[in-house]
Amino acid sequence: MSLKRTIFIANWKMNGIPDDIKEINKVAVFLQKKLKNYNKDIIYCPPASLLAYFFKNNFSKIVKFGSQDVSITKTPLGAFTGLLSSKILKLSGAEYVIIGHSEKRASGDTFKNIKEKIFLASKENLKIIFCIGESFNDKKKNKSINVLIKQIKNSISKKINLKNIIFAYEPIWSIGTGLVPDTEYLQKVFSFLNSFLRKNYSIKSPVILYGGSVNASNIKNLKIINHCSGYLVGGASLKAKNFIEIIKNYYN
Ligand code: PGA
């Protein structure tokens, strides 16, 4: 049994239909049978339309649910066609919300939007999975750390409950590409983030995840990174078999 709490998040992106409940069911059965006493959080972020349906099927004691985004609406309900407030997400079964994913930044999320989303989600007591990460160009120019500092400083206000923030370091060039940074690079980034968050935000034990092409083969290498509390998994989380392999290989 492992003492360290490890978080595995399944980011389904624009994938998933009601029938895929069976994939979550398989994972829940595996967790229940094989990993019951391990210190872990398994969080599924399906498309928002499936949240309440999945949640009602009640694996909620074994897996938790989150949304992939939240809208900027100060009122919980109202005349905002197409938007989803933190309140609606929460009442639909979300305990977590992903904010600042690079795919959302690429489709228009600004620092200002992200900051506001974090503020509103935090007010509703949702746990925030805040994504940060540099582009390949930033990395090439040795600017990764500066980019991460900028993303954090422009989005996180000290007024919010910092205990509710999970940081997810996802190098953009690693997402969906099969490329994963080498251990030395990752260790440098995680050590930096850990001390930066402790020093500048007084977060005693920052929770920082890695995301980007995580799979059953590279999890063994990713497991050894200090200050890494878990993984944000996209493609390899869609099928129960692959997601289970990742979790299994992590613990074995
Ligand atoms: P990936 O996606 O695992 O498919 O690279 C990760 C993410 O975008 O969160």
Side-chain angles (χ1 to χ4, degrees), residues 11 13 101 103 170 174-177 211-214 232-236:
N11 177 12
K13 309 192 179 184
H101 192 283
E103 284 154 15
E170 297 206 300
S174 189
I175 295 175
T177 58
S213 295
V214 175
L232 180 50
V233 189

Side-chain angles (χ1 to χ4, degrees), residues 6 11 15 19 29 41 63 72 78 80 84 123 127 137 143 149 172 176 208 233:
T6 305
N11 177 12
N15 296 290
D19 197 40
V29 169
D41 278 323
V63 305
I72 302 178
F80 298 97
L84 287 166
K123 256 174 75 178
K127 295 190 184 87
N137 219 10
K143 286 189 176 160
I149 294 175
I172 301 170
I208 313 166
V233 189

